[in-house]
Amino acid sequence: MIREITMPALSSTMTEGKVVTWKKQVGETVNRGDMLLVVESDKADMDVESFEEGILANILVSDGNSAPVGSVIALIAESEAEVAQAKLRSPNDKGTAAAVVAEPAAEPKAPVAEPKPKPKVEVAAAPPAPVAPPSRNGGGRVVASPNARRLATELGIDLATVSGSGPEGRIVGEDVERAATQVKPVSAPVATPTPVATPAPVATPAPAPIAGTTAAFTPMQQAVARNMEASLVIPTFRVGYTVTTDALDALYKSVKSKGVTMTTLLVKAIALTLVKHPLAYATYTPTGLRYNQTINVAVAVAMEDGGLITPVLQEADRKDLYTLSREWKDLVERARAKKLQPDEYMSGNFTLSNLGMFGVDRFDAIVPPGTTAILAVGGAKPTVVATDEGHIAVKKQMQVNLSGDHRVFYGADGAKFLQDLARLIEHSPQQLTL
């Protein structure tokens, strides 16, 4: 039997995927769990595993080319005899339901039975399943990313005991790390193999534009455009506030050497303030408001080769400042290498956009679909102000503008949120280190 490999849907918004590279070549044997290829989805490059075994007989979509989700990109044969039949299929052949089968020899004028449609093989996209149980394919094998398998080996974690939070219940690296913190050693420590250093992926700079030509959108740019068009239906209100940052700047100077960035300080301040304002991170649904159990702060990051992505610091209010800083550094590195899992950039319920490092004084941001509000932060600058005692002083101040979904909360709610945020930053920023 010749089976079809189709372009998988690696995220809920993905309509087209681009083949980055095939890990297997024509003629090679494919086993269940083998890495078949790397696909560029909306905002990340993801490894695609095989749920079938056989011989990779024909690649219909080669490296660097794109195909719609669900279209046939390769054929797998069960035997050597079927490889030649599979090679008859050309990339231009249409139809995705039937595998290629050569016509059998027959007497003249004898009717030739049409081949029955062969089942379509879905790659790396298991049927939707609850997150709680470990994800397994039809053969009982746990479905996990390569990074998760590597971490499980290093940390001595049994993947069968880990709950997956990735697409379709796939186990990702963060699931393994979370499981490791919950496991108590019952015997001698497990020896950890020394990791082999691998060169970090280098981001490819965007090619210089050529005047008079039209450059096709990348998958990421297409995804951003779709999100921005979807945001037009959100009724948005905007409120601004001036925040004095002298105390925050002093704290930043004291923790900067420990790897803490101003972005993580702001994320922590936002998260602690959101605890008092559950409406600001609730989610609109057609039937009512969903009050979220966790505070997940997404942060807008510009990609060097064009596009925008929002890595998410999950449960930001419950983690200490130094853990958040380590997680943020890892998220940014993997975002720019296009190695984030969908849940790492699609699970935010409040967004931060900080353009202060570019010298921007103030700006308004667009509420991303799926979230309720976004805080636009400008740069802090020395400003002449009048103190409460009536004196003239110079203080550093920054402008913050909140854009919110008016279906979820209102201007007064946004103003109270900004008041509490300013109070925390100006008078008690040491709470960020607790």
Side-chain angles (χ1 to χ4, degrees):
M1 182 181 296
I2 299 173
R3 300 184 181 276
E4 295 177 336
I5 306 302
T6 61
M7 178 64 71
L10 302 177
S11 71
S12 59
T13 59
M14 179 176 169
T15 59
E16 183 180 78
K18 177 181 178 181
V19 176
V20 177
T21 182
W22 283 92
K23 296 292 188 179
K24 293 285 186 178
Q25 302 302 318
V26 171
E28 290 189 45
T29 300
V30 177
N31 298 310
R32 290 180 180 178
D34 285 352
M35 287 300 149
L36 270 181
L37 71 161
V38 178
V39 171
E40 180 182 355
S41 63
D42 291 349
K43 296 187 177 182
D45 292 350
M46 299 185 66
D47 295 326
V48 176
E49 295 181 1
S50 174
F51 288 166
E52 296 296 327
E53 55 186 26
I55 302 170
L56 184 57
N58 195 353
I59 292 177
L60 302 178
V61 180
S62 57
D63 294 359
N65 292 320
S66 300
V69 168
S71 62
V72 181
I73 59 176
L75 301 171
I76 288 183
E78 290 187 349
S79 65
E80 292 285 354
E82 294 174 336
V83 172
Q85 299 174 18
K87 288 183 177 180
L88 297 176
R89 180 74 166 267
S90 71
N92 295 325
D93 288 344
K94 296 182 179 180
T96 61
V100 178
V101 178
E103 293 185 358
E107 296 286 340
K109 299 182 181 181
V112 178
E114 293 184 1
K116 295 182 179 180
K118 305 302 179 184
K120 183 185 293 184
V121 178
E122 295 291 343
V123 180
V131 172
S135 175
R136 300 172 183 271
N137 62 15
R141 184 176 181 278
V142 174
V143 180
S145 68
N147 182 46
R149 295 184 184 280
R150 177 182 61 79
L151 286 174
T153 300
E154 294 179 359
L155 299 174
I157 300 297
D158 182 1
L159 285 176
T161 65
V162 179
S163 298
S165 63
E168 316 298 347
R170 177 187 177 106
I171 297 172
V172 297
E174 185 177 354
D175 300 325
V176 177
E177 293 175 348
R178 187 181 301 112
T181 63
Q182 299 171 353
V183 175
K184 296 181 179 180
V186 295
S187 59
V190 179
T192 302
T194 303
V196 178
T198 56
V202 178
T204 303
I210 301 175
T213 63
T214 300
F217 287 121
T218 65
M220 177 175 290
Q221 290 170 328
Q222 291 174 344
V224 172
R226 287 194 300 269
N227 282 340
M228 294 304 97
E229 291 171 356
S231 71
L232 294 177
V233 304
I234 299 176
T236 303
F237 72 88
R238 297 173 176 85
V239 289
Y241 210 92
T242 300
V243 182
T244 300
T245 64
D246 290 334
L248 182 66
D249 292 336
L251 174 63
Y252 174 56
K253 289 180 181 179
S254 67
V255 297
K256 182 179 179 180
S257 61
K258 300 177 182 178
V260 177
T261 64
M262 181 57 74
T263 294
T264 49
L265 279 171
L266 291 172
V267 167
K268 184 65 174 179
I270 289 169
L272 292 180
T273 306
L274 285 174
V275 172
K276 304 176 184 178
H277 300 271
L279 273 177
Y281 66 98
T283 302
Y284 170 83
T285 73
T287 57
L289 299 182
R290 183 177 72 243
Y291 288 89
N292 295 302
Q293 295 181 335
T294 58
I295 296 174
N296 300 337
V297 181
V299 183
V301 174
M303 303 293 285
E304 295 179 359
D305 56 350
L308 180 74
I309 195 168
T310 53
V312 179
L313 285 165
Q314 300 179 359
E315 301 184 2
D317 59 314
R318 304 176 185 176
K319 297 174 181 176
D320 66 78
L321 186 62
Y322 306 103
T323 299
L324 285 177
S325 297
R326 290 192 296 270
E327 289 186 4
W328 179 241
K329 182 175 183 293
D330 174 64
L331 284 170
V332 171
E333 289 176 352
R334 290 191 291 114
R336 289 178 173 157
K338 297 184 178 180
K339 294 299 181 182
L340 291 181
Q341 298 294 325
D343 66 298
E344 293 177 317
Y345 61 83
M346 297 180 65
S347 59
N349 44 42
F350 189 99
T351 306
L352 166 66
S353 181
N354 180 13
L355 295 181
M357 70 284 293
F358 297 106
V360 173
D361 291 326
R362 69 189 70 191
F363 67 103
D364 288 326
I366 300 173
V367 179
T371 65
T372 297
I374 181 170
L375 187 68
V377 178
K381 295 191 174 183
T383 307
V384 177
V385 300
T387 67
D388 294 337
E389 295 78 19
H391 303 299
I392 300 298
V394 176
K395 295 181 178 293
K396 289 192 69 174
Q397 294 186 328
M398 69 179 181
Q399 305 294 324
V400 297
N401 288 341
L402 180 71
S403 301
D405 187 339
H406 213 292
R407 298 170 299 182
V408 180
F409 70 131
Y410 312 125
D413 301 307
K416 292 175 183 177
F417 167 80
L418 291 179
Q419 276 185 329
D420 287 342
L421 178 64
R423 187 177 296 113
L424 172 62
I425 290 175
E426 293 176 350
H427 302 294
S428 52
Q430 290 300 328
Q431 289 186 23
L432 307 181
T433 61
L434 300 180

mmCIF file of all heavy atoms in Angstrom, residues 63 255 284 383:
data_model
loop_
_atom_site.group_PDB
_atom_site.id
_atom_site.type_symbol
_atom_site.label_atom_id
_atom_site.label_comp_id
_atom_site.label_asym_id
_atom_site.label_seq_id
_atom_site.Cartn_x
_atom_site.Cartn_y
_atom_site.Cartn_z
ATOM 1 N N ASP A 63 12.349 21.050 -0.534
ATOM 2 C CA ASP A 63 12.818 22.078 0.402
ATOM 3 C C ASP A 63 12.578 23.477 -0.166
ATOM 4 O O ASP A 63 12.862 23.746 -1.341
ATOM 5 C CB ASP A 63 14.311 21.906 0.678
ATOM 6 C CG ASP A 63 14.622 20.619 1.426
ATOM 7 O OD1 ASP A 63 13.675 19.883 1.737
ATOM 8 O OD2 ASP A 63 15.816 20.354 1.681
ATOM 9 N N VAL A 255 19.801 44.847 40.009
ATOM 10 C CA VAL A 255 19.563 43.447 39.592
ATOM 11 C C VAL A 255 20.031 43.175 38.162
ATOM 12 O O VAL A 255 20.009 42.021 37.715
ATOM 13 C CB VAL A 255 18.069 43.086 39.731
ATOM 14 C CG1 VAL A 255 17.622 43.155 41.181
ATOM 15 C CG2 VAL A 255 17.200 43.985 38.844
ATOM 16 N N TYR A 284 -13.004 37.393 26.114
ATOM 17 C CA TYR A 284 -14.350 37.521 25.544
ATOM 18 C C TYR A 284 -14.715 36.261 24.763
ATOM 19 O O TYR A 284 -13.916 35.744 23.976
ATOM 20 C CB TYR A 284 -14.408 38.729 24.614
ATOM 21 C CG TYR A 284 -15.687 38.804 23.800
ATOM 22 C CD1 TYR A 284 -16.839 39.352 24.352
ATOM 23 C CD2 TYR A 284 -15.736 38.302 22.507
ATOM 24 C CE1 TYR A 284 -18.018 39.402 23.622
ATOM 25 C CE2 TYR A 284 -16.901 38.346 21.764
ATOM 26 C CZ TYR A 284 -18.048 38.891 22.327
ATOM 27 O OH TYR A 284 -19.205 38.931 21.602
ATOM 28 N N THR A 383 12.327 64.642 33.418
ATOM 29 C CA THR A 383 11.250 65.614 33.212
ATOM 30 C C THR A 383 11.190 66.567 34.403
ATOM 31 O O THR A 383 11.324 66.136 35.554
ATOM 32 C CB THR A 383 9.894 64.895 33.056
ATOM 33 O OG1 THR A 383 9.991 63.897 32.027
ATOM 34 C CG2 THR A 383 8.794 65.872 32.697
#
